[in-house]
Amino acid sequence: MSTSKALPQPDREDIRIEAVLQALGEPVRLQIVRLLAELPEGIACGEIDLPVTASTRAHHLRILREAGVLSTHTEGTKRISSLRRDDLDCLYPGLLPGVLAAPR
Amino acid sequence: MSTSKALPQPDREDIRIEAVLQALGEPVRLQIVRLLAELPEGIACGEIDLPVTASTRAHHLRILREAGVLSTHTEGTKRISSLRRDDLDCLYPGLLPGVLAAPR
């Protein structure tokens, strides 16, 4: 039987703008967010192509999850992450589009 | 004769989203930005009421200026700071309104 389990994350009302901005203000994490923005269904963490080690990738994903920027759930042996777009758009309308519009 | 001199700051095209997000993602700096958002004419740095020392305030103002979030110019013995709203709105449309909409 396949089970799906969500990893711990803040409820919408517990998301703090300072934590979101700090999470977004790092080049690798911003790269992850840009990728997730194009993948509404989410992506398996192992499939995110980044110029860092797996443990660094996991670290950045954890920071983003704990800040409330993304959700992660397990599917079998996979961890699937997706952007919490609805929550961010509700709390900070315009923030995510503005960040994603930034020149690279 | 009164002279006005602008302190060093990045040109619009040199502003980096990572630096802006890092600058904004700190409680005292966010408080400064919220205040400046209500004062289009700017404010003398010494008149910004914050629960920190003058040197800490100066530090935070410098971080914001070097990231491209605010401009500072001298008028006589005063340093007047104002938000670079046009530059931020042009580079990252929605970002600043989203940040300012955040629950306190």
Side-chain angles (χ1 to χ4, degrees), chain B residues 51-73:
Chain B
V52 298
T53 64
S55 77
T56 300
R57 183 179 59 204
H59 165 77
H60 286 309
L61 286 166
R62 186 175 57 77
I63 299 274
L64 287 164
R65 175 171 50 83
E66 291 180 350
V69 175
L70 59 77
S71 276
T72 304
H73 68 276

